[in-house]
Amino acid sequence: MTSFFLLVIRFAKAADMLNNSLRIPRAALWMLAVLLEHADGGVTSFQLLRAPALAPAGSPGTTGSSVSLGLQNLQNNAYYISVPVGTPAQTMLLQIDTGSAWTWIGSSQCQSAGNCNDANPFVAANSASFKDVSHGNQTTVSYSVGSVAGALSTDTFQVGNASVQHFSFVLASIENGIIQNQQAGAYDGVVGLALQGGVTSPAGSSPTLFQAMLAQNLLSEPVFSIALNPMDPSQAASTNTPADGGSILFGGTDPSLYTGDILQYPVVDAFFWSIALSSVSFNLSSRPALLQAPSGTTIMFDSGTSYTTLNQAFLDNTVMPILYAAAGVQAPTGQSAGFYRIPCDATLPDLVFDFGDAIPYKLAGALLVQPRGDADGACIVALGGSSGSMWILGEDFLGSHYAVFGASDGGWVGLASQVRRGLAFKGFSTRTAVSSATKTRAGLAH
């Protein structure tokens, strides 16, 4: 079976990376975060004050040119699309990753040499439209865990009925051991979909597939939307068979996949789909002690990370004692592959996020208890840790919400209640219903 934990952390764009040379300075409109505590109905929140945010962008439309692609779900840890590449086309399976910008595909030479471990490696020699534009230089794509390297190249990518010409990607000649373990012969690479609004990392990057589609006038609106379709965690851990993973729509939104309104929140980072966090709380029947949240905390939405990632010290010293106390279990010693252990029958409270409009967005407590996928059958608390102030909401959160990513007006993220298409399971939950009185406050600071 695919190494479960390596797959989980593969694209955990931890704040270790965000605080080094790849970090893009945040907007000057931020204010120092100040701790406020309030308790209402047994919910304790730690509030982060900030300067007023930009006004929300106009509502995303649903008309005009758009391209919808189905997603395949591998163990709730990778959601990928099928993209014909080259002339004649070779079908590539690519993981969608809103937390990185590069697109890369494993090459047939890499596979033959044992340096890649992909499902359908790309045979560049068989494509009449392929070009190597590396000039003999190697491009390395590094994640917080794992890396690939290869030649900068261009070719035709067929995204639904849209033909993206001369799209730049890295044709990998080597995947390091971690990436090979996670590829596990299941898919062929990654398509990066980060915002990168007019900026690049010091390592360089090319336009994302979304940006290339906009530049070639293939989309009528500068948005794409994602509706992930997760499996029951107990199923996901015991199968290697991909399942229906939902869909991604380039150029619009699909009203059949969400209910209510799409509330928009302005991004506060020029590279990542990151928005300001107003508060985070637990649904508890009793009031816990004062929680000291890190200052300047933001949230990045990342379809390439399986689990939610918090600041490590905050997770260790604040969150885990509360979760163990709520579950009525003694905190164990040690961790399991970087995660805290917990009995599989433990009941944990929901983790609730507020992005400035008093609308609660839930990460269900049931999703925080995940099987390890190992022989001993142990479970872990599905919360990762990093050293920085940018937290990550990954596929666990996105599986319960309809997410829209807009490139206009400096960038914004939209959220709505997702219409569940598969069989419901106990971990599926979304935001509380939005009243007309609160809809217009999306993205505004309190």
Side-chain angles (χ1 to χ4, degrees):
M1 178 175 290
T2 300
S3 176
F4 179 76
F5 289 105
L6 290 177
L7 198 57
V8 166
I9 62 176
R10 173 182 181 181
F11 296 110
K13 267 61 64 171
D16 297 333
M17 178 185 73
L18 302 178
N19 280 342
N20 65 18
S21 61
L22 295 182
R23 169 73 178 274
I24 306 300
R26 295 189 171 87
L29 57 85
W30 288 13
M31 296 288 287
L32 180 66
V34 180
L35 177 74
L36 294 175
E37 183 196 31
H38 61 83
D40 183 10
V43 178
T44 294
S45 301
F46 20 102
Q47 187 85 11
L48 300 176
L49 296 182
R50 65 185 188 276
L54 299 174
S59 298
T62 55
T63 61
S65 299
S66 61
V67 178
S68 180
L69 296 177
L71 296 170
Q72 289 295 305
N73 174 2
L74 181 63
Q75 296 183 316
N76 287 348
N77 296 316
Y79 290 81
Y80 53 87
I81 55 178
S82 176
V83 180
V85 177
T87 308
Q90 303 173 46
T91 299
M92 300 289 106
L93 302 177
L94 304 177
Q95 182 183 10
I96 60 167
D97 185 8
T98 58
S100 69
W102 281 107
T103 292
W104 63 266
I105 298 174
S107 69
S108 58
Q109 292 93 333
C110 182
Q111 190 89 348
S112 298
N115 294 326
C116 286
N117 189 16
D118 306 316
N120 305 290
F122 186 71
V123 184
N126 290 349
S127 174
S129 50
F130 173 83
K131 290 185 179 181
D132 183 330
V133 295
S134 67
H135 304 291
N137 298 316
Q138 182 170 267
T139 298
T140 298
V141 181
S142 297
Y143 303 97
S144 57
V145 177
S147 65
V148 302
L152 186 63
S153 309
T154 66
D155 211 330
T156 300
F157 279 53
Q158 189 68 34
V159 184
N161 59 2
S163 182
V164 186
Q165 302 293 315
H166 312 295
F167 178 63
S168 297
F169 68 102
V170 173
L171 184 62
S173 56
I174 186 168
E175 301 166 354
N176 78 351
I178 291 174
I179 298 298
Q180 288 191 48
N181 286 339
Q182 294 157 23
Q183 292 292 92
Y187 49 100
D188 307 308
V190 169
V191 55
L193 294 170
L195 172 61
Q196 63 168 6
V199 298
T200 60
S201 72
S205 58
S206 297
T208 67
L209 186 62
F210 172 55
Q211 290 171 325
M213 294 175 76
L214 289 174
Q216 296 180 31
N217 298 315
L218 299 175
L219 303 175
S220 59
E221 297 185 66
V223 302
F224 67 92
S225 51
I226 296 175
L228 298 186
N229 188 39
M231 292 185 281
D232 185 293
S234 61
Q235 273 187 315
S238 60
T239 181
N240 283 323
T241 303
D244 174 16
S247 62
I248 180 170
L249 177 63
F250 293 98
T253 59
D254 185 345
S256 70
L257 298 180
Y258 66 90
T259 60
D261 297 279
I262 296 173
L263 302 185
Q264 299 179 28
Y265 303 90
V267 300
V268 292
D269 191 294
F271 195 89
F272 296 102
W273 299 106
S274 174
I275 67 175
L277 175 66
S278 178
S279 69
V280 58
S281 57
F282 294 97
N283 281 339
L284 294 170
S285 58
S286 60
R287 179 176 178 271
L290 179 68
L291 305 178
Q292 298 290 333
S295 62
T297 301
T298 60
I299 293 288
M300 191 248 286
F301 296 89
D302 185 359
S303 66
T305 293
S306 298
Y307 295 155
T308 293
T309 300
L310 313 178
N311 174 270
Q312 186 70 62
F314 183 74
L315 175 66
D316 295 342
N317 302 325
T318 303
V319 173
M320 291 312 305
I322 292 174
L323 290 181
Y324 281 129
V329 298
Q330 184 175 1
T333 57
Q335 297 184 343
S336 176
F339 293 91
Y340 282 93
R341 290 175 176 266
I342 199 165
C344 292
D345 60 355
T347 299
L348 298 181
D350 298 339
L351 191 56
V352 182
F353 299 87
D354 173 11
F355 304 123
D357 52 4
I359 304 294
Y361 293 89
K362 293 180 181 179
L363 176 60
L367 291 178
L368 297 179
V369 181
Q370 293 282 349
R372 290 179 56 195
D374 291 347
D376 63 6
C379 285
I380 52 97
V381 177
L383 293 172
S386 66
S387 64
S389 61
M390 184 182 286
W391 298 359
I392 295 172
L393 290 179
E395 296 157 359
D396 51 0
F397 180 88
L398 293 174
S400 296
H401 301 84
Y402 188 77
V404 185
F405 302 85
S408 61
D409 300 309
W412 50 269
V413 175
L415 297 171
S417 299
Q418 185 187 151
V419 174
R420 180 72 176 159
R421 289 188 287 171
L423 295 176
F425 58 91
K426 66 178 182 176
F428 180 76
S429 67
T430 185
R431 76 179 185 206
T432 302
V434 181
S435 69
S436 59
T438 60
K439 286 189 288 189
T440 59
R441 298 189 303 175
L444 302 180
H446 286 205

